[in-house]
Amino acid sequence: MDADVIIVGAGPAGLCLAKSLSGRKLKITVLEQQPQATLEAPAFDGREIALTQHSAKLLQDLGLWELIDNKDQAPLKDAKVIDGPNLFAMTIGHDLSGRSELGWLVSNHLIRDAAWRGVQQAMAANSDITLMPGEQVTAVRTTDTEGSVTLASGKTLQAKLVVAADSRFSSTRRMMGIAAHMHDFGKNMLVCAMTFDKPHDFAAWEWFGYGQTLALLPMNPHPDTGAHRASVVITRSSHEIDALMHLEPDAFNAAVTVRFGNRLGAMRLCSTRHNYPLVAVYPQRLVARRFATVGDAAVGMHPVTAHGFNFGLLSVEALTHEINTALHTHADIGSTSLLKRYEARQKRATLPLFWMTRMIVEIYTRDSLPAKLARQVLLRVSDKVMPFKRSIAQSLAGVGRA
Ligand SMILES: Cc1cc2nc3c(=O)[nH]c(=O)nc-3n(C[C@H](O)[C@H](O)[C@H](O)COP(=O)(O)OP(=O)(O)OC[C@H]3O[C@@H](n4cnc5c(N)ncnc54)[C@H](O)[C@@H]3O)c2cc1C
C-alpha cells in the first residue's frame, strides 16, 4: 500500500487535515492539481474569512494561528443586519457570546499560506506526509480492503482511506457515485478590499438592500495609509457583477460609495476585484466505502452566514477524532463504522445551518412589498428577543463547541 490516507486537494481543508493527522505514525499523501509555485505563494483571492472562536482555537491547536501575523487577524466585534434603506440595524453584540469578540477575520490566502507552511513543518518534523503538487486525480475506486486513485500522469496509488478535499464541485465525490443537492442562486458575488473615511468599529454588516445584497467585513487599518479598511461584498446578477468588475477604479469607487448610501464616506478600492458564482452544495452522503469528504466537498455553503471554512475545520476535527480513536484501539482507519460515525457527527453540525442559510437568503432577497414589510417587522422583533440574538451570537462565535 502506498499510503494510509490519500487526501485529494491541497486547499485549506486538505492541508489542515494533513497537518492534523501528522505525527500519528500514518503515511499521508496529498495530491493537488495546482503547481507547487501556486501553493507556496497563494495569491490574494478577495475572500476575507470570518472564523468562529472555535475555528481560531482549532487553528491554534494545529499550530497554524501563530503562522498568521497579528496585524492580519482582525477582531469581529459585532454583526449588524440591515434591511433596505432604513437606518435601523439589528445588532448582534459580542457581549451576547460571552467573549470579547465574536470571532476573527483573516484573508483566505493567508490561511492557505499558514496551512502550507504548517504542513512543511510537519513534513520536516515527522517525515510522514508526501505532497504531490501538479497531479490531477482522474479516477477513484474503492474495494472492501483499499482505495485506489489514478492520476492524469498515469500513476496509480493505493491507501486504506481516500479523502476528498477537492472543493464543492468535487470530481472524486462524483466518481464515487455520490449525488449532491446543488442550488444555483443565479447571482454572483464581487469581493474586494476598500478603504473609507468613517470607522467601521470592527462590526460586520449584512445589508439586504432592495435589489442588491451588500456586506462589509472589517479588516485592520490599511498597513501603508492607516485608513479604515474592510472587505466589501456585492451580490448581484452575473452581468451586473461583470460590469462592476470592469469599471475603471474611480468609477467603481463612486458606484460603491453610492451603493453603500455614503454611510462610510468616500470609498476607495485597495485590492484586486474577484467574482464568485453562488452555488450551495450538500452531498447525499459524506462517505462511501473507504472514502470520506471534508471541507467544501462535504458542504458548500452560501457565504452569507460565513460558515464554509468553519465547517471545513469541523470536518477535519471530526475525522481526525475518529481516526485517532481507531489508532488507539488498533482498529481499521477506513472501516465503514468509523466513516458512518464521522458522517453522522458532521451532518449534525452542518445540515441545520445549511438549510437555515438557504431560508435566510430566500426571505431576505425577495423584493415584493409584503416581503419587505415582513422583513422589517421580523428584524425589529428579533432585535428585542434576547435568546434569539444570543443564539446567533453563539453560532457566529462557535461558542459551545470550544
Ligand atoms: C466569497 C466567499 C466568501 C467566503 N467567506 C467565508 C467566511 O467568511 N467564513 C468561512 O468559514 N468560509 C467562507 N467561505 C468559504 C471558504 O472559502 C471555503 O469553505 C474554503 O476555502 C474551502 O476550502 P477547501 O479546501 O474545502 O476547498 P478549495 O479551497 O476549493 O480547495 C480544493 C483544492 O482541491 C484541488 N483539486 C480539485 N480537484 C482536484 C483533482 N481532481 N485532483 C487534485 N486536486 C484537485 C483544487 O485545485 C484546490 O486546491 C467563503 C467563500 C467565498 C467564495
Side-chain angles (χ1 to χ4, degrees):
M1 201 115 16
D2 301 287
D4 294 298
V5 184
I6 289 176
I7 301 170
V8 184
L15 290 174
C16 285
L17 181 64
K19 177 75 172 74
S20 177
L21 294 178
S22 180
R24 296 167 207 271
K25 300 196 167 36
L26 289 170
K27 275 172 75 182
I28 305 150
T29 297
V30 184
L31 304 167
E32 168 58 52
Q33 62 192 5
Q34 296 185 76
Q36 172 141 351
T38 309
L39 301 175
E40 272 173 355
F44 175 76
D45 60 19
R47 301 184 208 187
E48 218 47 36
I49 304 293
L51 296 165
T52 62
Q53 296 285 9
H54 185 65
S55 292
K57 166 85 170 55
L58 291 177
L59 290 174
Q60 277 162 19
D61 294 346
L62 289 174
L64 304 184
W65 192 246
E66 66 202 45
L67 300 179
I68 302 168
D69 209 308
N70 282 347
K71 70 172 176 24
D72 296 319
Q73 304 167 353
L76 175 59
K77 290 283 181 190
D78 306 316
K80 291 176 190 286
V81 183
I82 308 164
D83 182 61
N86 307 288
L87 289 176
F88 173 78
M90 176 175 86
T91 302
I92 314 288
H94 60 274
D95 46 323
L96 292 170
S97 71
R99 309 290 287 261
S100 48
E101 59 286 305
L102 289 170
W104 298 90
L105 286 144
V106 179
S107 298
N108 194 45
H109 72 293
L110 298 179
I111 295 176
R112 293 186 84 127
D113 174 63
W116 172 261
R117 287 191 287 137
V119 165
Q120 299 299 316
Q121 289 176 356
M123 286 165 73
N126 307 319
S127 310
D128 55 359
I129 304 176
T130 305
L131 263 171
M132 297 176 67
E135 295 280 9
Q136 188 187 31
V137 172
T138 54
V140 187
R141 272 189 322 108
T142 63
T143 65
D144 287 341
T145 51
E146 66 176 32
S148 151
V149 299
T150 306
L151 309 179
S153 57
K155 291 186 205 110
T156 300
L157 301 172
Q158 278 86 27
K160 291 180 190 156
L161 177 65
V162 177
V163 182
D166 54 349
S167 88
R168 66 187 59 202
F169 301 113
S170 170
S171 57
T172 49
R173 187 181 66 210
R174 178 174 278 266
M175 288 172 209
M176 289 298 292
I178 300 179
H181 163 91
M182 291 198 187
H183 182 81
D184 187 336
F185 291 90
K187 301 246 165 62
N188 279 41
M189 222 172 214
L190 183 156
V191 282
C192 62
M194 298 189 82
T195 56
F196 35 84
D197 299 333
K198 297 186 186 166
H200 49 50
D201 299 324
F202 290 94
W205 299 9
E206 192 63 51
W207 187 351
F208 296 101
Y210 300 154
Q212 64 174 0
T213 305
L214 302 171
L216 190 83
L217 301 167
M219 298 171 76
N220 286 324
H222 192 282
D224 300 334
T225 62
H228 305 298
R229 183 173 56 138
S231 173
V232 165
V233 186
I234 302 171
T235 305
R236 294 296 292 134
S237 66
S238 65
H239 72 271
E240 284 169 280
I241 293 296
D242 277 348
L244 280 170
M245 288 287 295
H246 292 106
L247 278 182
E248 289 300 320
D250 283 347
F252 179 79
N253 293 343
V256 179
T257 302
V258 170
R259 282 176 185 271
F260 273 82
N262 260 304
R263 291 188 193 192
L264 294 158
M267 300 175 78
R268 293 165 295 273
L269 190 61
C270 63
S271 77
T272 43
R273 287 167 269 184
H274 300 264
N275 180 358
Y276 293 95
L278 283 175
V279 181
V281 181
Y282 207 98
Q284 276 178 8
R285 288 181 289 142
L286 307 189
V287 300
R289 189 170 56 179
R290 295 201 174 269
F291 178 83
T293 54
V294 297
D296 272 19
V299 52
M301 293 290 290
H302 186 300
V304 70
T305 44
H307 264 71
F309 184 54
N310 291 300
F311 283 165
L313 282 170
L314 286 186
S315 66
V316 167
E317 183 187 31
L319 191 57
T320 303
H321 169 80
E322 293 302 338
I323 291 177
N324 240 346
T325 309
L327 289 174
H328 282 124
T329 53
H330 303 288
D332 179 3
I333 61 159
S335 75
T336 301
S337 55
L338 178 156
L339 295 173
K340 286 283 172 201
R341 279 197 303 278
Y342 161 69
E343 179 182 55
R345 174 169 165 174
Q346 197 54 21
K347 276 192 167 174
R348 266 198 313 276
T350 59
L351 203 50
L353 197 65
F354 178 81
W355 286 110
M356 194 171 316
T357 303
R358 284 281 315 275
M359 203 179 73
I360 290 171
V361 174
E362 275 299 311
I363 295 175
Y364 278 92
T365 51
R366 264 194 226 149
D367 283 334
S368 66
L369 185 61
K372 287 177 185 169
L373 292 173
R375 271 181 352 223
Q376 269 303 304
V377 173
L378 197 65
L379 218 55
R380 280 172 195 274
V381 171
S382 305
D383 194 52
K384 301 266 179 280
V385 184
M386 280 306 149
F388 174 72
K389 290 212 308 185
R390 192 168 293 114
S391 74
I392 300 181
Q394 292 181 345
S395 163
L396 285 171
V399 178
R401 292 196 180 103

